[in-house]
Amino acid sequence: MPAVTETIDTVQSLTEGTYKYGFETDIEMEFAPKGLNEDIVRFISKKKNEPQWLLDWRLKAYAGWLKMEEPLWAAVKYPPIDYQDAFYYAAPKAGPKSLDEVDPELLKTYAKLGIPLKEQAILAGVEGAGESPADSGRMPIAVDAVFDSVSVATSYKERLGKEGIIFCSISEAVQNHPELVRQYLGTVVPQGDNFYAALNSAVFTDGSFVYIPKGVRCPMELSTYFRINAKSTGQFERTLIIADEGSTVSYLEGCTAPMRDENQLHAAVVELVALDDATIKYSTVQNWYPGDAEGRGGIYNFVTKRAQCRGKRSKVSWTQVETGSAITWKYPSCVLLGDDSVGEFYSVAITNNRQQADTGTKMIHVGKRTSSTIVSKGISAGRGQNTYRGLVRVAPTASNARNFTQCDSLLIGDQCGAHTVPYIENRCMTAKTEHEATTSRIAEDQLFYCRQRGMTQEDAVGLIVNGFCREVLKELPMEFAVEAQKLLQISLEGSVG
Amino acid sequence: MTAPLHTGAEGFLHRFDGLRTRLPGARLGWVQQLREQAAESFRAQGFPTRRAEAWHYTDLRQVADAGFDEPLSILGAAKTLPAPHGAWRAVFQDGRFRDDLSSLDAAPFVAASLAAGLGTLEDRLGALARPAAEPMAALNTMLFEDGLVVTVPAGVAGGVLDLLSLGSATDRPAAFHPRHLIRLEAGASLTIIETATGPAQARYLHNPVYEIEVGEGATLTHVRLQQESPRAFQLGTLYARVAAGGTYDNFTLNAGGKLVRNEIHASLDGPKATCHMNGAQLLRDGQHADTTTVLDHAAPDCASRQTYKTVLSGRSRGVFQGRIHVHQVAQRTDGYQMNQALLLSPEAEIDSKPQLEIYADDVKCSHGATVGEIDADQLFYLRARGIPEPKARSMLVEAFLAEAVEVVQDGAARAALEAAVNGWWEAAA
Amino acid sequence: MLKIEGLTAEVDGKPILNGIDLEVPAGGIHAIMGPNGSGKSTLSYVLAGREGYEITGGSVTFDGIDLLALEPEERAASGLFLAFQYPVELPGVGNALFLRTALNAIRRHRGEPELDAMQFLKVARQRMQALSMPEDMLRRGVNVGFSGGEKKRNEVLQMALLQPRLAILDETDSGLDIDALKIVAEGVNALRAPDFSALVITHYQRLLDYIVPDRVHVLMGGRIVQSGGPELAQQLEASGYASVQAAA
C-alpha cells in the first residue's frame, strides 16, 4: 500500500502539520464536458466501450436519480452541491496500452504517494523486480491504481491469474468477464438504493473487480489506491468483490487528494459477495484531503459499501480508519443471509478542525445463528463533529442470532461534538443483542501520568488515542496498522493546547 | 349528534373550528392566541408519520383513522375509586376535573382545576411545551379543556398527591387533552402518584401534556401508572425543567392501552440538578408501547440516570428511544442510560434507539441496550431446584423488572409500583 | 539537590501547603510522614507539576534550577520521578509501548540513543525478573486489571528503567503485603547511589524498616512540624501523630 512503506522518518517530516498528499500532478488530461445529463452518461459508457446492457443500466439509474432527493438525515452540514458544476470524467490522455507505457508523471506521483518501489517497477511493467516476495522479505501487495476516473495500472495480475483469481479494473472486467459483472453488479447495492448510489450507478468510471474462485486462498493482499487529482472533478468508483465458495481474500484501499479550496465529491459504491464458507476482509485507510483548519476545501466522501454474506458460514469483516475528508457519509454494512454467517465492523473515525463524519454500519440478520460485532471508536477534536449511526436488525428468521456493539467516543477540546445514534430492531425472540456506548475525554490524570514519565503532551495524547483505538487497529493488516497509528497522531495535530 | 365523524388531523381541526368560542379561555386573548398558533402548527404537521425521525417506530394511523368525539359532559355518579396512596387526591374523568371526587382542600399546597383558574396562568401555560415541534402537544394546546394546576410553595413538603384519570366507556370514542401544570418552588417537595385507567371495553384517546417546573433544591417524585383500557390510546407529552440543585424523579409504567406513547422532555437548567427517568413497559397481545425521552443537560455538574425495562409477550411491540443531549456549557455532566428488553414471544418486536449527542468535552456519558429472552441457564437452575417452569419464568421476569423498580426511592411511590407490576403479572398468568 | 523554601499552595482556593522548608542533599533518603490530609500527596503532585494546584509562594529548586517553571515532562526528563499512590490506568496502551516511549523520551533528553523494541525488551526483562514480575505484564494495558500490588511493582519497574535522580514515593506501601513491600524496597535500595535521592512519603513506619531514611520529617497542617533521624519514625509508630500535635 502507498503509505505502508512510510518509515518513521518520513512520518516525522509530516509532523509539520500539513497534509502530506496535497500535491497536484501536472499531466495532460481528457475531460468530459462539465455537468451531468444523459449525454454524459452515454459519453462515459462509450469511452469505456461498454455493451448496450450496461449503458441501459446506467441510464435507468440516471433516470431514477433525477427523481431522488439528497438525503438530509445525517448529522452533517454543507452548502447545496451543484451537480452540474463538476466533471464526471477525467482521465490522463493516452491511457497506457500496457504497463510499460505508464506515463512517467504518474509514476512520479505514485512514488511520492509512497507506493513501494518494487511495486512501482511492477506498475511500470519491469518484470521480475517485485515478483519475488523473498527479495523484500515481505508479502507482496497487488495494487490497482485509480487516478481520477480511470484505473491506470494493476500489478500482479498474471501472478494472481495463475490461481484463477481475477484482479483488474472494473472497466476491464466489463470487457473480459462480462458474465460475472452482469451476474453480480447491482445485486448488493441496487441502482436505486440511495441518492449517491444511484448517481454512482449512472456515472461510475472505474474501480476494482475481484473474483476469487472456489477454494482459493488469495496469496497476497489486494489493494486499490484511489487518487483524485484533477480540479472540479468528482470520483465515482465502483468496486465489486466476489468470493466464491470456500475462498478467502483480504483487500485494502487507500485514498488521497490534492489540497484545494474547492470541495470535491467522491461517491463510491462497493459491493461484496461472500458465498458458502468464503471470507472477505476489507480494510480502508481513508485519507482524502480534509480541508484546511477553517474548513475550506476537502473531499465530500459519500460512499455506499455493503456486503452480502449469501453463503452458509460466510464472513465479511470491514475495518476502516477514517481520518480524511471534509465530510464522511459512510455505512459499510453486512446483510447476513446465510446461516451461521458472520459480519464485523471495526471503525476508527477522527474529525479535527471543521471535519464532519456520520459513519457506522448496518447489520441485517436474516439467517439462523448469524452473528455480528461492531466496534466503533470516534474521536472529535477542534470543531469536528463525529456521529456513529448504526442499525442492527434481526428478522424473525434469524433464530439465535447474536450482536454485540461497542461505541466509544473521545472528545478533545470543548468546541467539538460526539454523537451516537444506534437503531436496534429485534423481531426474534431467541436473538440476543447488546449495545454499549461511552463518551469521555482524555482524563487529566492519564495525561499527567504520561508526562510525569517524560512524554510531551502531544505524544501522550497520541499514545492514549492509539490505546483507545487499539481494538480496531489490531484488525488491520500489520503494515497498515502502523501507518494508521501514525495517521491518527497526525490528524490530531494542533488539537491539544 | 349523529353527524359522521371526521377522522385524522382534519377531524380535530374541524372540532376546533366548532369549539373555539366555547373552550376554556375563549375570552382571554392570550389563550386564544396560543390555541390558534397551535392549530396552525397542527394543521401544518398533521399526525406525525413514520417519516418523522421521532416517530419512526410508532405508527399513529390507527389513532388518526379513528373518529373521536367530545367527551360527554354529563358526568356519571361517583365510581368506585382505587384506594388512595396519599392524603390528597385530584380526580379527572375524561379529562375534566371532578371536584366532587377530589380532596385537596387541606393540602399544604395549592391544587385546583386549570379551567377554573386560567386567568392567572399566563406565565405558566405554554412556558415549556413546544407545539411547533411536537404535534401531539399542538393538538393538546389547541383543544385542552382542563387539567390540574399545582403550586407547592417554597420550602413546603407537600406529601403524596394522587392524580387519577378515568376514561369512560361511551358509544362513540372520546378524545380528551388535559393540561397539567406543576410547579415546585425552591426547596419544596412533592410526590405525585398518577393512575390512568378506564373500563375494559372503553375506547378513547387520552392526550395529556404536562408542564413541570422544579425549583432550586426542590424534589418532585412523579410516578405514572398507565393502566388504560386495552382498547384506549394514550399519547402523553411531558416537559420538565429542573433548576439548580433540584431533582425530578420520574417513573412511568406502561401496562395498559392499545397504543401508548410516553414522551418526556426534561431539561436540567441549573448547576447540580438531577433527573431520574425510569420505567417499565409490560406488554402483551397486540399492544404497542413507546417510551421516548429527551434529556437536555443545559448546565454544568448535572447528573441523570435512566433505566427502562420492557417485557414483551404475544404480538406486542415495544419502542424505546432515549436521547441525551449535552450542551457545550454542561461540563462535568454525568449521564447514564440503560434500556433492556425481554422477549417472551416469537411474535413480539422491540425497537430501541438510545442516542448520545454531546457538545461538551468534560463529560462522562454512557448508554447500554440489551435484548434477549429468558436466560436458559437460569431457568434450568431454578427448575433443577424443583420450581415449576411457569413459576420459574415469572420469578425471572420479576427479577428483571425489579432492577427498574428498585431505583424508586419514595416509599409510597414504590409500593404503588410494586402493586401495579404484581397486578399485571397476575392478570397475565 | 532538592531545595524547598517557604512553599505554599492551594487547591480550589483552599490552602493545603502552608510554608514548607526542606532540603534533600544528593544521595539522601528522606521520609515524610504525616496523618491523612496533612498535605503529603499535594506536596508530591506540586513537585511533579500536576495541574490544579496553585503555588501561592515560596520556591523549589532542583540542582539549582527553578523546578516550578518546568512542564511535568521537563521535570521528568531532568530526573524527577513520582511513584503514584494511585497509578493511572491507560486502556489499550500496551505496558511495553508505554515504558519504551517514556524511556526513549528521557533518553532523548539525556542525549542517549533511543532503544529499539528488541533492545528495550532485553533491558525490561532483566528489570522485571529482579522485581519478580511476570512477563505478561508487558503485554497488558498499562495498569489495566493490575492488582494493587502489581500496580505498585509496575511503578517501581518504571523507576528502575528510567533511573531518576530524585524519586518521590507517594505512599507506595499502601495496599502492599509484606512480600511486595520487600520487593519494592529492594527496588529502591538498588538505586541507592551518591547522586540518587529519594523522598519517601508514607503514613506508616513499616516501609521505613526496609528503606531506611537518613532523615524523617513530620508533615502536619501543610507544614513540617518536626524533623529527626530514623528513630523519629519509631517514635511516631509508638505514640502516634497526636503526640507530635501536642508538642507542636
Side-chain angles (χ1 to χ4, degrees), chain B residues 119-162:
Chain B
T120 62
L121 295 169
E122 186 169 357
D123 67 323
R124 287 177 63 177
L125 182 70
L128 300 181
R130 302 182 311 165
E134 278 88 41
M136 299 317 295
L139 177 61
N140 175 287
T141 305
M142 178 171 90
L143 287 171
F144 71 84
E145 28 334 60
D146 209 343
L148 182 67
V149 182
V150 178
T151 310
V152 188
V156 168
V160 178
L161 165 66
D162 280 287

Side-chain angles (χ1 to χ4, degrees), chain A residues 446 449 451-453 470, chain C residues 71 73 76 82 92 155 158:
Chain A
Q446 292 180 329
Y449 191 63
R451 293 177 75 191
Q452 210 302 304
R453 297 298 182 255
R470 207 182 110 81
Chain C
E71 293 294 322
E73 59 269 34
L82 170 63
E155 294 291 287
Q158 292 173 38

Side-chain angles (χ1 to χ4, degrees), chain B residues 91-286:
Chain B
V91 180
F92 286 78
Q93 186 170 1
D94 299 327
R96 280 127 196 239
F97 185 59
R98 290 275 311 246
D99 199 14
D100 57 327
L101 301 178
S102 302
S103 51
L104 293 164
D105 294 343
F109 50 85
V110 184
S113 148
L114 174 105
L118 210 43
T120 62
L121 295 169
E122 186 169 357
D123 67 323
R124 287 177 63 177
L125 182 70
L128 300 181
R130 302 182 311 165
E134 278 88 41
M136 299 317 295
L139 177 61
N140 175 287
T141 305
M142 178 171 90
L143 287 171
F144 71 84
E145 28 334 60
D146 209 343
L148 182 67
V149 182
V150 178
T151 310
V152 188
V156 168
V160 178
L161 165 66
D162 280 287
L163 171 56
L164 197 56
S165 165
L166 307 170
S168 306
T170 46
D171 294 344
R172 297 175 33 152
F176 42 96
H177 315 268
R179 183 67 157 255
H180 303 300
L181 309 180
I182 294 148
R183 174 182 278 173
L184 271 64
E185 293 177 355
S189 68
L190 182 67
T191 295
I192 297 177
I193 299 178
E194 185 185 340
T195 307
T197 185
Q201 69 284 16
R203 190 138 192 259
Y204 52 86
L205 167 64
H206 180 193
N207 178 41
V209 166
Y210 305 76
E211 297 185 82
I212 295 173
E213 296 165 81
V214 179
E216 284 187 22
T219 300
L220 175 62
T221 302
H222 186 187
V223 171
R224 301 181 60 216
L225 308 175
Q226 182 280 110
Q227 297 166 312
E228 304 279 16
S229 143
R231 298 182 65 208
F233 306 114
Q234 188 194 98
L235 302 168
T237 313
L238 186 151
Y239 300 89
R241 181 164 67 194
V242 189
T247 300
Y248 178 58
D249 201 339
N250 176 297
F251 188 104
T252 303
L253 175 77
N254 270 337
K258 181 161 172 35
L259 182 151
V260 301
R261 166 130 152 161
N262 159 35
E263 180 171 334
I264 302 177
H265 298 261
S267 174
L268 296 171
D269 270 20
K272 300 195 170 153
T274 305
C275 184
H276 298 157
M277 294 200 278
N278 301 298
Q281 307 195 110
L282 312 176
L283 309 177
R284 57 174 170 241
D285 304 330

Side-chain angles (χ1 to χ4, degrees), chain B residues 43-66:
Chain B
R43 194 186 307 279
Q45 299 173 77
F47 271 101
T49 66
R50 294 194 50 199
R51 292 168 63 118
E53 179 70 17
W55 291 87
H56 186 60
Y57 293 116
T58 294
D59 192 331
L60 284 187
R61 263 178 302 182
Q62 55 173 318
V63 179
D65 291 349

